[in-house]
Amino acid sequence: MILDGKQTAQTIRCELREQISEITKRGLRAPKLAIIIVGHNPASETYVANKMKACAEVGVEAERIAFESDVTEQQLIQEVQRLNTDPMVDGFIVQLPLPEHINESAVLSAIDFHKDVDGLTPANVGRTVQGLPSIVSATPRGIRELLARYAIRTEGKHVVVIGRSNIVGKPIAMLLMQRPYLSLPGMSAASLGDATVTICHSKTRDLASICRTADIIIVAAGCPKLLTADMVKEGVTVIDVGINRIDDPASPRGYRLVGDVDFEQVAPKAAYITPVPGGVGPMTIVSLLQNTLQAYTASMNQQQSA
Ligand code: NAD
C-alpha cells in the first residue's frame, strides 16, 4: 500500500485552515511565521516560496526576510534576537544552508526554542531527547504523523534508520524509541514510539543483513537505489526520505526526483511504502505549519496565564 503523503498533507492543511479560521473568527490575530533567507541559492528560493505558499493556503501570516550573501554572522544573530522578542512573530526559521563564512550552529543556537519551529536548536533537541514537550523538526514530525494517520504501530517493532543527520536520522530514531508522551489523531498514545531502533550510517557494516531484520525502514541517506529488494523482508514498511535529482532526458526539466529506495523492486515486498515525490516531502512542509500553530498556541496560553 502506498503511503500517500500528498493526500495526507492536504487533509492536514484543511484541518489547519479550519483551526486557524476559528481562531481569527474569535477576533484573535492569525499565527505568524518569519523566514530568514540568505543569498540567492535557487533551491533555497524554491523551498522558501513553497513554504510561503503553504502558509497562505492555511491562513498563517508569513514574512520573508532576505539578506545578501555577504551578511555577517553578527548581523544575522541580531536579526534572530529581534525576532526572538517580537511579540507578533510566533515562530521563525533560518533557511539552510548558510554561506560558508557563517557558523550555522551559532545562528541556530541563538533562536529562542519557543519560536524554533524547525526544531533545530540544542534546547529543542535536548527536550525531545528527554521526552519533554518540544518542537520536533519538520521531517521527523511528518514521518511520525504519516505513520500515525495510517495507524502503523511502532511499539515493539524493529525500526532501522539509515542516516544520522541532525535534521532526520537522529531525531526520528529518538522519537520512535521513546516512551510515548504525545497523542496524535487516529492513534492511541501507546502505539507511538516504543520501537527498538537501529541507526545505520555510511560506516555501518553489512547494512543489508541489518535491514532484513527490520519491520520498518526509514532511509535518509541521499543515495538513489540504496535500499534494494534483497535488503528487505516481506511485509516491511518503508519510509523513503531521500530526494535525489537524476538525469532524465525525457523530462522537460532534464532531470527527475527519486528517493533512496529502488521503488519498483521494493514496493511488491512492502506492506506500506512512501513514493518520491509525494511521500515524506509534502508532510515536511505541513509539519512546519503545525509547528507554527503549536508555537502560537503555547504563546497565547502563556499570555493568558500571565
Ligand atoms: P545528510 O545528507 O546530512 O547525511 C546523509 C546520511 O546518510 C549520513 O548520516 C550518512 O552517514 C548516511 N549515508 C550516506 N550514504 C550511506 C550509505 N551508502 N549507507 C548507509 N548510510 C549512508 O542527511 P539528510 O540531510 O538527512 O538528507 C538525507 C536525504 O534526505 C537527502 O536526499 C535529502 O535531500 C533528503 N531530505 C528530504 C527531506 C524531505 O522533506 N523529504 C527532508 C530532509 C532531507
Side-chain angles (χ1 to χ4, degrees):
M1 181 181 191
I2 300 286
L3 297 174
D4 188 341
K6 200 172 166 193
Q7 182 56 49
T8 307
Q10 179 57 30
T11 305
I12 297 170
R13 272 199 297 274
C14 290
E15 292 168 7
L16 284 169
R17 194 165 39 234
E18 234 163 74
Q19 286 165 19
I20 293 168
S21 141
E22 273 171 25
I23 288 171
T24 51
K25 272 189 210 146
R26 295 206 311 267
L28 298 168
R29 67 171 178 84
K32 179 170 176 182
L33 171 73
I35 305 176
I36 297 179
I37 178 166
V38 179
H40 301 278
N41 175 331
S44 294
E45 297 272 13
T46 306
Y47 289 136
V48 170
N50 288 342
K51 289 169 188 175
M52 302 280 294
K53 191 169 147 232
C55 284
E57 270 175 41
V58 301
V60 166
E61 194 189 329
E63 183 185 3
R64 181 179 184 278
I65 302 171
F67 288 93
E68 288 302 327
S69 46
D70 60 357
V71 66
T72 65
E73 188 175 307
Q74 194 47 39
Q75 284 169 320
L76 263 193
I77 289 177
Q78 269 169 11
E79 181 61 14
V80 164
Q81 286 163 344
R82 186 190 70 75
L83 291 168
N84 281 344
T85 56
D86 183 340
M88 302 307 277
V89 172
D90 302 292
F92 62 98
I93 64 171
V94 179
Q95 183 66 42
L96 302 178
L98 293 173
E100 272 183 10
H101 67 278
I102 295 173
N103 178 345
E104 273 181 11
S105 164
V107 174
L108 295 180
S109 300
I111 301 175
D112 177 348
F113 78 88
H114 297 95
K115 295 194 177 191
D116 166 31
V117 286
D118 253 348
L120 295 178
T121 57
N124 263 321
V125 175
R127 293 176 69 83
T128 302
V129 170
Q130 294 196 349
L132 295 169
S134 62
I135 301 183
V136 174
S137 63
T139 305
R141 180 175 180 149
I143 294 170
R144 189 180 57 177
E145 184 96 32
L146 194 59
L147 291 171
R149 299 261 173 167
Y150 279 87
I152 297 170
R153 299 174 74 91
T154 56
E155 65 188 82
K157 299 270 178 73
H158 181 205
V159 177
V160 169
V161 176
I162 308 177
R164 55 180 163 185
S165 71
N166 286 339
I167 62 166
V168 187
K170 282 186 207 160
I172 191 63
M174 199 52 61
L175 286 173
L176 294 182
M177 60 81 81
Q178 241 160 14
R179 293 187 76 164
Y181 64 93
L182 199 65
S183 171
L184 288 174
M187 214 177 187
S188 72
S191 43
L192 291 163
D194 274 343
T196 302
V197 180
T198 302
I199 305 179
C200 299
H201 47 76
S202 51
K203 302 283 186 236
T204 296
R205 286 192 201 144
D206 201 359
L207 182 65
S209 54
I210 297 171
C211 289
R212 278 193 287 270
T213 67
D215 303 303
I216 299 174
I217 304 178
I218 299 173
V219 201
C223 298
K225 297 201 178 179
L226 175 62
L227 191 76
T228 50
D230 59 310
M231 295 168 74
V232 303
K233 67 178 184 190
E234 289 284 342
V236 69
T237 292
V238 177
I239 306 289
D240 189 355
V241 185
I243 301 179
N244 308 290
R245 272 187 188 195
I246 59 164
D247 292 341
D248 181 2
S251 151
R253 293 180 296 190
Y255 69 87
R256 66 194 161 91
L257 296 180
V258 296
D260 289 350
V261 176
D262 184 350
F263 185 87
E264 302 300 323
Q265 303 298 320
V266 172
K269 288 181 86 173
Y272 298 96
I273 187 165
T274 59
V276 177
V280 174
M283 295 300 295
T284 296
I285 293 201
V286 88
S287 298
L288 175 66
L289 304 176
Q290 290 177 304
N291 280 346
T292 304
L293 183 58
Q294 180 185 328
Y296 170 89
T297 308
S299 139
M300 288 296 180
N301 289 344
Q302 204 199 9
Q303 279 173 33
Q304 273 168 13
S305 62

